[in-house]
Amino acid sequence: MPLQVSNYSWQQTSTAVFISVPLRGVSVRDADVFCTENYLKVNCPPFLFEVFLYAPIDDESSKAKIGNNTVVFTLHKKEAAMWETLSLSGVDKEMMQRIREKSILQAQERAKEAMEAKAVARREDQKYTLNVMMKIEEEERKKIEDMKENERIKATKELEAWKECQRKAEELKIIQREEKLYHQEKQMEEKRKKLKHKCLTGNSASKNFATKGRNSGNIFFEKLKEDNIPAPRSVGSIKISFTPRVFPTALRESQVAEEEEWLHKQAEARRAMNTDIPELSDLKEEEKNPEWLKDKGNRLFATENYLAAINAYNLAIRLNNKIPLLYLNRAACHLKLKNLHKAIEDSSKALEILTPPVADNANARMKAHIRRGTAFCQLELYVEGLQDYEAALKIDPSNKIVQNDAEKIRNIIQGTELESK
């Protein structure tokens, strides 16, 4: 059985009660303090101290201090008054048990309310955090939309400026052409006037001397005939134009069937347009042109804005997925951003479209092999990379840069093999 502590001391004021309970060997870790508005208990085996308070206290503001083998309580009264005694008098066991049970229920209710308040506070914190995150995301989205709008306005202004320059250049050409025609007509008019004046002068001379002798008349007639003889024709050159060919090779050396197939595929690619895209609803007509989007992507690539360039190429590919340069240029952007697998995928797609292999697409095929080979090498797949570089050398054997890069890859492969041995 626990030992009841009875040698405690207490003092009071009108607003507080101070209790000092001596407990030998007491520590914060071992002491169990339980306090409600009418009941106070300290359990520190083998000691037990409990008191049924004379009047209610404010247990939330009351304090207990443990140290120096003593527990000191500072209990704040709910009503300012002086107590006659510390504990109730005439309390039997049943009443003690009821007070204990009531105190335990009060403590449980208070703990439950504290947990619910804590849960409400946690939910409020989560709600506030969610609102803050949504606000941040909304600001980021608005910022991105503003950037896109500014980019679109900038591109529109550039296009309008280019159109204005083209219009002014065309107007200048028309003015120059009209001035040239005006000067030519003026020169022709002057020539006609001179010729008319010359003819009138000759006729009047013939009439003045018509009464003279036959010989004299014949002499002036011969002179007039000589004056009317036209001048010799001026020296000129005749321009001869030949039928233009798309491919630079001579007809006897070209592969006519493959060239015709390539031209047919290019014509189909230019005709293939997918206009059923929701993003096209707010674009101008010139902005729905894949070639315009390709040029825009090239300008963005030149300014090192690779993500925006990829977006331009993506929309162009959705409009027309038969243009190999779109995949080829997007592969270059992925290489800059270290998206190596995507660079390989786009280069392979470009090579798939660049068929059959003809002189007109040789340069594009070489670039596709080099970019795919570069991506393979950055992934440390040197054998696959060397295969692409060798394919590029077959297209342009005299390219020194490709030759040097291929030689470096061979040296890396040989060094890897020696280390593995």
Side-chain angles (χ1 to χ4, degrees):
M1 287 196 50
L3 300 176
Q4 292 284 344
V5 178
S6 58
N7 57 339
Y8 63 88
S9 60
W10 70 287
Q11 297 176 356
Q12 66 171 328
T13 64
S14 60
T15 58
V17 177
F18 305 96
I19 306 174
S20 177
V21 181
L23 295 175
R24 189 175 57 192
V26 67
S27 65
V28 177
R29 181 184 60 188
D30 299 330
D32 180 16
V33 178
F34 180 74
C35 180
T36 62
E37 62 181 10
N38 295 108
Y39 179 67
L40 174 64
K41 182 182 78 170
V42 179
N43 184 15
C44 182
F47 302 105
L48 175 65
F49 170 76
E50 67 175 351
V51 60
F52 301 92
L53 300 173
Y54 181 81
I57 63 169
D58 186 1
D59 56 333
E60 291 184 356
S61 61
S62 299
K63 298 179 181 179
K65 183 177 180 181
I66 301 175
N68 297 326
N69 297 324
T70 306
V71 181
V72 178
F73 293 97
T74 303
L75 308 179
H76 297 279
K77 299 177 181 179
K78 280 192 173 182
E79 295 180 359
M82 299 299 290
W83 293 357
E84 296 179 0
T85 60
L86 178 63
S87 61
L88 290 173
S89 58
V91 179
D92 57 6
K93 290 184 178 181
E94 292 181 0
M95 189 174 180
M96 290 180 182
Q97 186 64 28
R98 284 198 302 271
I99 293 174
R100 289 191 189 100
E101 292 175 354
K102 183 180 178 181
S103 299
I104 292 171
L105 289 174
Q106 287 178 351
Q108 290 176 349
E109 289 293 331
R110 192 168 297 170
K112 184 178 179 181
E113 291 175 358
M115 289 180 63
E116 290 177 353
K118 189 176 180 180
V120 170
R122 185 168 59 250
R123 285 195 297 271
E124 290 295 328
D125 291 341
Q126 291 175 351
K127 184 177 179 181
Y128 174 76
T129 304
L130 181 61
N131 290 334
V132 171
M133 291 179 63
M134 290 176 64
K135 186 177 180 180
I136 293 172
E137 290 178 358
E138 180 66 21
E139 290 176 354
E140 289 293 329
R141 186 191 64 78
K142 189 173 183 298
K143 184 178 178 181
I144 292 171
E145 291 294 332
D146 292 341
M147 290 175 62
K148 289 171 66 177
E149 181 65 19
N150 292 335
E151 189 68 27
R152 188 184 69 81
I153 292 172
K154 182 180 177 182
T156 304
K157 288 182 179 178
E158 290 177 356
L159 181 63
E160 293 296 333
W162 178 81
K163 286 183 177 179
E164 185 66 20
C165 291
Q166 292 295 109
R167 186 182 63 78
K168 290 182 178 179
E170 191 66 26
E171 289 178 355
L172 183 61
K173 287 182 181 178
I174 293 172
I175 293 171
Q176 291 175 350
R177 193 181 303 118
E178 290 177 351
E179 289 179 353
K180 187 177 180 181
L181 289 173
Y182 172 75
H183 288 303
Q184 289 178 353
E185 289 178 357
K186 191 173 181 180
Q187 291 175 359
M188 291 293 292
E189 185 66 25
E190 290 177 355
K191 286 182 180 180
R192 281 196 296 269
K193 287 181 179 180
K194 287 181 180 180
L195 184 60
K196 185 177 180 180
H197 178 70
K198 190 174 181 181
C199 291
L200 291 173
T201 305
N203 290 334
S204 63
S206 299
K207 290 179 181 179
N208 291 331
F209 293 100
T211 57
K212 294 186 178 181
R214 180 181 297 176
N215 293 334
S216 177
N218 289 339
I219 290 171
F220 284 104
F221 182 73
E222 291 294 333
K223 186 176 179 181
L224 183 61
K225 286 177 66 178
E226 290 177 0
D227 291 338
N228 290 331
I229 294 175
R233 294 180 181 177
S234 59
V235 179
S237 59
I238 300 174
K239 294 183 179 180
I240 301 174
S241 60
F242 297 94
T243 303
R245 274 182 50 77
V246 177
F247 298 94
T249 55
L251 184 61
R252 62 180 178 275
E253 299 174 1
S254 64
Q255 301 173 347
V256 179
E258 288 80 357
E259 292 174 355
E260 291 297 329
E261 181 183 352
W262 171 250
L263 292 175
H264 181 67
K265 287 179 66 176
Q266 291 297 99
E268 284 186 348
R270 286 191 292 271
R271 288 194 300 269
M273 284 287 292
N274 182 14
T275 58
D276 299 331
I277 299 176
E279 288 85 347
L280 297 181
S281 58
D282 60 344
L283 298 181
K284 295 183 178 180
E285 286 301 323
E286 61 269 14
E287 295 173 345
K288 299 178 184 180
N289 187 351
E291 290 296 330
W292 185 88
L293 290 169
K294 178 173 72 69
D295 294 338
K296 179 180 179 182
N298 294 345
R299 292 195 299 271
L300 293 170
F301 181 88
T303 60
E304 299 183 1
N305 192 352
Y306 304 122
L307 288 175
I310 288 174
N311 290 334
Y313 295 137
N314 287 343
L315 184 54
I317 288 171
R318 293 182 66 183
L319 285 167
N320 191 336
N321 59 1
K322 301 295 184 181
I323 302 176
L325 288 181
L326 297 175
Y327 295 96
L328 198 58
N329 294 354
R330 193 170 68 176
C333 295
H334 285 311
L335 270 180
K336 292 291 185 180
L337 296 173
K338 302 300 180 183
N339 300 330
L340 303 178
H341 291 90
K342 291 184 178 180
I344 294 171
E345 183 180 343
D346 280 346
S347 301
S348 302
K349 183 63 177 181
L351 288 171
E352 180 183 339
I353 299 175
L354 290 167
T355 54
V358 293
D360 191 48
N361 58 25
N363 188 38
R365 285 187 287 114
M366 185 181 72
K367 288 181 180 178
H369 281 299
I370 290 174
R371 288 171 187 173
R372 189 170 69 177
T374 302
F376 276 131
C377 290
Q378 291 185 12
L379 289 170
E380 298 185 358
L381 301 174
Y382 299 110
V383 176
E384 291 81 356
L386 181 60
Q387 292 175 356
D388 274 312
Y389 270 88
E390 289 177 345
L393 283 174
K394 288 181 182 179
I395 298 172
D396 186 7
S398 62
N399 194 312
K400 297 295 183 183
I401 297 176
V402 180
Q403 290 178 2
N404 294 335
D405 290 343
E407 187 62 29
K408 290 178 183 177
I409 297 171
R410 291 191 190 96
N411 293 336
I412 291 173
I413 294 173
Q414 291 174 0
T416 306
E417 290 177 351
L418 291 174
E419 288 178 3
S420 62
K421 290 181 180 179

